[in-house]
Amino acid sequence: MEDTRTDSPLLEAINLTKRYEDGTLALDDVSFKVYPGEVYAMLGGNGAGKTTTINLFLNFIEPTSGEARVDGIVTHVDPLAAKSKLAYVSENVMLYPNFTALQNLDYFARLGGKTSYSKDDYRRVLTRVGLEEEAHDRRLKGFSKGMRQKCGIAIAILKDAPAILLDEPTSGLDPKAGLEFTRLLQSLRDEGRAILMSTHDIFRAKDISNTVGIMNRGKIVMQKTSAELEGVDLEQIYVEYMAGYMDDAGVAAEEVA
Amino acid sequence: MLKLIIEKELREILGSTKFVVTFSVCATLILIAFYVGGRSYDVSRSDYEAAVAENVKQMAGLTDWGRIDHRVFLEPQPLGALVTGIANDIGRTTEVRTRGELNSENSRFNEDPLFAVFRFLDLEFIFGIVLSLFAILFGYDAINGEKERGTLRLSFANAVPRDKYILGKLAGSFLALSVPLLIPILIGCLLLPILGVPMESGDWQRLAMIIACGYLYLGVFLALSIFISAMTEHSSSSFLLLLVVWIIAVLIVPRTAVLVSGRAVDVPTMDEINFEKNRISDQLRREDDSKLRAYWSENPQTGTETRDQMMTRFRNYWSELADAREQEVRALSARLSEDRRNRERVQQRIALGISRISPTSVFSLAATDLAGTSLELQQQYQDQVSQYRDDYTRFIEEKTGGSGGFWFSGGSTDEAEEEPIDPYELPVFEFDAPTAATLVSKSLLDLGLLTIFNIVFFVGAFVAFLRYDVR
């Protein structure tokens, strides 16, 4: 897949490699680009390296080699500048349980550098992500996972960052909430944001992504654009790639033995 | 950014049930401490005044200054009610005699042994035990708890500098704990004059410093908690570790320091000293008895001498012997006491030196120094009584014509013919408490140590957090 675009990517992984101190190779020479108005979906099983990639973009860990860039800024060189251009939603959004939804939004919006929002702005965003009005002033203690997830997405929207990282964002959401989330993601993409999403959900990935990368054992083993995936059974490809890779690994292991 | 993190900490802590419960407990305890302290001072003051009056009263009707039974008393100190220190452990009543040992008795614990078992509920206890535990309760999961809850990851997905975050955490937690406590403390301060505790400006200054010292101590345990929270992965581990540190600092180190110093320096007990003094005193008395008998047989009543003249000569000779013996006993007693005191000082220096590795001991020493109820109180009182004894002895000698108050019955004096004594002529003993400036300067070392503890633990927390894996 050749990159012919002339504009700059907002998110870029360049030969990104991460080997932990115990020798585990979590990420092996991963490269990809996400342009404004694009969604890049990382598909893969547990331990494939999806969350490690996101952690490298957030500078929670430093790469062994290679670079993660946000709008051209190398994350481990200037992490604060890079993070100011990133919004993040985790798999299981956890906020302050003694704060109301509005208070949580206010805190994290201001932490993200947005100080001019009013309560009405917060309410508008919460309504946009589908959180019922009666829950806006409730403490988060009694919120379901779906409600918390909506708050997390609202926080990401309020940050108004050009790039968004989503780590298994629909995990645990009911179908209705999942559908609402897909629509929301599409609208964010249409607003021109670059979205990097890790997911297990092949169908949702195919629906909303411009590019899908299948990861296994820290490598991107397949990368296809939505045009290339047109009329293709992504589930079949995913299973084949995962199985093939596992076979290769098995053969290699036997050879070593 | 820093302000935002502080605000968040304040809001999070103040809105928690944990805070409501701990604040209620602390506020109640602080108010009780001020109230009980004020009432206790009032009772001690009444007891003191009654004892002084009774001392004068029991001399009424006596005609011979040599026969008076005079006592002096340690006046209760206003701040002693709030930080009792050793004020309740030492004897507050001392029988003053022109000769012999000065022994103090009637400590508060002697009168109320229950207090000796359960000790007093004072500010030292509240800060030293209760608030240090509460500081741990609020700080043990400051970092690893946020990580466990997942909020740390979300916070650091933003452009948040770590130094500001940890500073904000510490400042926010400290303000959330300390500022609300000012309310019961201020109410308690208002109670003092209402309860009749005569607080002067120096006392207020020292009380303010005791509270500041308590806040420094609170800061030590908060910074330590955040430090350990940033060093450990799980909040359950940090809580357990902090509990162990608390037990060591609060309960084990002070006691171990006393044990170690006791082993290091052998200080004779007061009983041993008294036994030695009595032994030598008895020996000298026996020698004097022999001299007296020899004098009696060598210098019998002469023909020109009346019985009264003979008795006067005999009494003068006895008095000379007694004075010489008293001087010798006093010199010996001073030597033994000085030796004991020197050993005791070395022992105390070792004990205090070791105990100062615990912030709790440092806080106790600073608070009792500021309140004027430290270990030195006993020595100050004894020194002042000893000085007073000199004035008292001079006074009695003047009144008794040099017999030093020793009553020697010649069988010819007729008391009924003599004027009764006026007890108000006696020199007055007033315990001269050290000035506020002196007490503050004595506490500076410990205040400095508490500041150092704060800095060390904060730097520890800071460095640990810079390397903390926020994932």
Side-chain angles (χ1 to χ4, degrees):
Chain A
M1 190 174 62
E2 199 178 326
D3 183 15
T4 55
R5 293 184 65 153
T6 52
D7 56 342
S8 308
L10 268 170
L11 295 169
E12 189 176 13
I14 306 169
N15 307 117
L16 209 49
T17 302
K18 177 66 187 177
R19 187 182 288 279
Y20 287 108
E21 282 172 8
D22 63 0
T24 309
L25 186 62
L27 213 58
D28 185 8
D29 200 27
V30 166
S31 296
F32 61 80
K33 292 175 183 172
V34 190
Y35 289 91
E38 276 191 2
V39 176
Y40 186 103
M42 294 184 285
L43 277 174
N46 292 328
K50 305 187 298 290
T51 302
T52 303
T53 308
I54 287 176
N55 283 340
L56 284 161
F57 273 100
L58 289 168
N59 194 49
F60 288 163
I61 48 175
E62 290 202 1
T64 309
S65 64
E67 286 176 357
R69 290 185 179 184
V70 180
D71 201 12
I73 302 162
V74 180
T75 56
H76 67 271
V77 173
D78 192 352
L80 295 185
K83 284 181 193 179
S84 67
K85 292 174 184 292
L86 280 176
Y88 166 67
V89 181
S90 67
E91 178 186 0
N92 189 7
V93 173
M94 297 302 290
L95 302 168
Y96 293 102
N98 281 333
F99 288 8
T100 64
L102 286 178
Q103 286 171 336
N104 267 297
L105 254 62
D106 180 54
Y107 172 65
F108 282 104
R110 290 203 284 157
L111 203 63
K114 303 292 175 187
T115 53
S116 57
Y117 289 129
S118 65
K119 270 193 174 178
D120 287 341
D121 295 327
Y122 297 137
R123 288 187 195 281
R124 236 185 329 271
V125 176
L126 284 173
T127 307
R128 184 183 170 192
V129 297
L131 191 74
E132 287 173 13
E133 207 174 324
E134 60 85 24
H136 294 186
D137 294 301
R138 259 172 48 201
R139 287 188 178 197
L140 255 79
K141 269 177 189 169
F143 274 30
S144 66
K145 186 183 173 187
M147 292 165 87
R148 288 202 312 272
Q149 216 64 9
K150 284 172 183 172
C151 288
I153 296 162
I155 288 167
I157 292 172
L158 283 167
K159 192 169 178 186
D160 197 24
I164 302 175
L165 304 175
L166 305 168
D167 192 2
E168 314 271 7
T170 53
S171 153
L173 290 187
D174 59 52
K176 182 175 172 281
L179 187 66
E180 283 172 358
F181 175 75
T182 306
R183 284 185 190 142
L184 190 67
L185 211 59
Q186 282 166 339
S187 75
L188 290 171
R189 182 192 63 191
D190 297 342
E191 283 170 13
R193 297 175 210 273
I195 300 168
L196 173 65
M197 175 173 73
S198 82
T199 181
H200 288 108
D201 190 338
I202 296 167
F203 303 106
R204 188 161 285 126
K206 191 182 172 186
D207 267 3
I208 57 171
S209 307
N210 301 78
T211 312
V212 173
I214 297 178
M215 295 187 79
N216 198 345
R217 295 167 186 270
K219 275 184 177 293
I220 294 182
V221 292
M222 189 222 78
Q223 189 166 276
K224 287 194 186 300
T225 62
S226 53
E228 290 167 328
L229 290 171
E230 201 69 44
V232 172
D233 185 353
L234 182 60
E235 193 178 13
Q236 186 62 32
I237 295 175
Y238 179 72
V239 171
E240 281 168 10
Y241 266 98
M242 299 300 278
Y245 226 76
M246 280 173 192
D247 287 349
D248 290 349
V251 171
E254 276 172 22
E255 282 172 1
V256 171
Chain B
M1 180 70 71
L2 182 64
K3 193 176 154 222
L4 174 67
I5 296 164
I6 292 173
E7 271 177 21
K8 189 268 309 177
E9 279 299 310
L10 280 170
R11 196 185 286 177
E12 197 189 4
I13 292 176
L14 299 182
S16 66
T17 316
K18 188 163 73 174
F19 174 79
V20 175
V21 173
T22 50
F23 175 71
S24 308
V25 171
C26 285
T28 310
L29 286 177
I30 288 170
L31 289 173
I32 289 175
F34 273 95
Y35 179 75
V36 171
R39 295 291 305 146
S40 169
Y41 174 80
D42 192 38
V43 170
S44 302
R45 183 86 217 168
S46 303
D47 287 350
Y48 167 77
E49 281 164 3
V52 171
E54 180 59 30
N55 183 50
V56 172
K57 198 175 157 194
Q58 53 91 23
M59 293 183 214
L62 291 179
T63 53
D64 188 348
W65 283 106
R67 299 182 75 174
I68 67 166
D69 190 11
H70 180 45
R71 288 181 170 79
V72 294
F73 309 92
L74 176 61
E75 194 178 349
Q77 300 298 304
L79 286 183
L82 296 174
V83 180
T84 51
I86 65 157
N88 291 317
D89 300 70
I90 59 173
R92 293 172 301 167
T93 306
T94 310
E95 188 180 349
V96 184
R97 288 168 296 175
T98 54
R99 295 198 174 98
E101 282 298 306
L102 288 169
N103 290 320
S104 302
E105 53 193 20
N106 291 343
S107 74
R108 178 77 187 268
F109 289 157
N110 187 260
E111 291 166 13
D112 301 309
L114 254 185
F115 284 114
V117 177
F118 297 115
R119 311 299 289 187
F120 278 84
L121 178 72
D122 62 357
L123 288 183
E124 188 193 345
F125 170 80
I126 293 171
F127 275 100
I129 309 287
V130 183
L131 282 180
S132 60
L133 263 180
F134 285 167
I136 288 175
L137 208 59
F138 280 93
Y140 80 96
D141 63 346
I143 304 297
N144 54 19
E146 288 242 17
K147 183 177 175 175
E148 284 170 344
R149 290 190 291 272
T151 43
L152 197 61
R153 192 175 164 89
L154 189 56
S155 297
F156 279 91
N158 293 293
V160 180
R162 289 194 179 210
D163 52 350
K164 286 195 177 151
Y165 190 82
I166 189 78
L167 193 63
K169 270 261 163 201
L170 188 75
S173 318
F174 182 75
L175 288 174
L177 280 181
S178 59
V179 175
L181 285 179
L182 280 177
I183 300 165
I185 288 172
L186 288 175
I187 296 173
C189 288
L190 285 175
L191 274 178
L192 291 177
I194 294 169
L195 291 169
V197 181
M199 296 284 284
E200 291 172 5
S201 67
D203 297 326
W204 286 116
Q205 282 169 22
R206 286 189 290 140
L207 180 58
M209 284 200 71
I210 289 168
I211 291 160
C213 185
Y215 275 7
L216 266 178
Y217 174 71
L218 187 71
V220 171
F221 271 94
L222 206 54
L224 174 69
S225 304
I226 294 175
F227 174 36
I228 290 181
S229 178
M231 291 283 288
T232 46
E233 197 67 18
H234 304 291
S235 55
S236 53
S237 313
S238 54
F239 186 69
L240 199 67
L241 191 60
L242 280 161
L243 214 55
V244 172
V245 171
W246 185 86
I247 289 168
I248 291 171
V250 176
L251 302 174
I252 296 178
V253 170
R255 286 163 175 76
T256 308
V258 174
L259 283 177
V260 170
S261 65
R263 284 270 174 196
V265 182
D266 190 25
V267 180
T269 62
M270 282 310 292
D271 285 342
E272 285 172 327
I273 296 275
N274 288 338
F275 177 79
E276 184 62 13
K277 284 177 192 170
N278 290 338
R279 190 184 65 76
I280 292 175
S281 182
D282 286 348
Q283 188 185 329
L284 291 173
R285 187 172 289 116
R286 276 196 299 275
E287 286 171 15
D288 285 354
D289 284 348
S290 305
K291 284 180 192 168
L292 203 61
R293 273 194 297 275
Y295 180 80
W296 184 260
S297 57
E298 286 166 15
N299 302 285
Q301 186 176 5
T302 58
T304 57
E305 207 175 32
T306 64
R307 189 169 187 281
D308 276 351
Q309 284 170 331
M310 184 273 290
M311 286 305 291
T312 304
R313 179 165 56 81
F314 190 73
R315 189 166 55 197
N316 286 343
Y317 180 69
W318 192 95
S319 198
E320 276 170 30
L321 285 178
D323 282 347
R325 188 176 70 237
E326 176 64 18
Q327 269 186 339
E328 209 167 326
V329 169
R330 271 198 197 184
L332 171 85
S333 174
R335 270 200 312 278
L336 288 172
S337 297
E338 187 61 29
D339 177 58
R340 183 178 188 278
R341 204 179 294 175
N342 287 338
R343 284 165 179 266
E344 206 172 45
R345 278 194 196 120
V346 175
Q347 196 184 56
Q348 280 179 3
R349 210 173 301 138
I350 291 172
L352 296 182
I354 295 171
S355 73
R356 279 190 167 105
I357 60 172
S358 156
T360 310
S361 305
V362 175
F363 166 69
S364 285
L365 293 172
T368 52
D369 268 339
L370 285 165
T373 53
S374 67
L375 279 172
E376 288 179 20
L377 175 65
Q378 186 174 23
Q379 199 54 54
Q380 286 158 359
Y381 173 58
Q382 283 174 354
D383 287 347
Q384 289 188 28
V385 172
S386 191
Q387 270 180 350
Y388 172 79
R389 198 252 288 268
D390 295 341
D391 296 341
Y392 173 78
T393 305
R394 271 195 296 278
F395 172 83
I396 295 295
E397 279 174 356
E398 266 175 35
K399 291 291 181 185
T400 57
S403 68
F406 177 75
W407 180 70
F408 186 90
S409 175
S412 66
T413 47
D414 187 357
E415 284 178 35
E417 290 173 7
E418 290 179 18
E419 285 288 307
I421 61 165
D422 178 7
Y424 293 102
E425 283 183 46
L426 275 169
V428 177
F429 174 78
E430 270 180 7
F431 178 67
D432 188 15
T435 61
T438 311
L439 294 172
V440 169
S441 68
K442 273 183 186 154
S443 68
L444 285 180
L445 167 69
D446 294 309
L447 287 170
L449 279 174
L450 280 177
T451 310
I452 290 169
F453 275 124
N454 267 294
I455 293 169
V456 167
F457 291 140
F458 175 69
V459 169
F462 189 86
V463 172
F465 189 64
L466 289 184
R467 292 150 53 173
Y468 194 73
D469 183 356
V470 298
R471 283 177 294 158

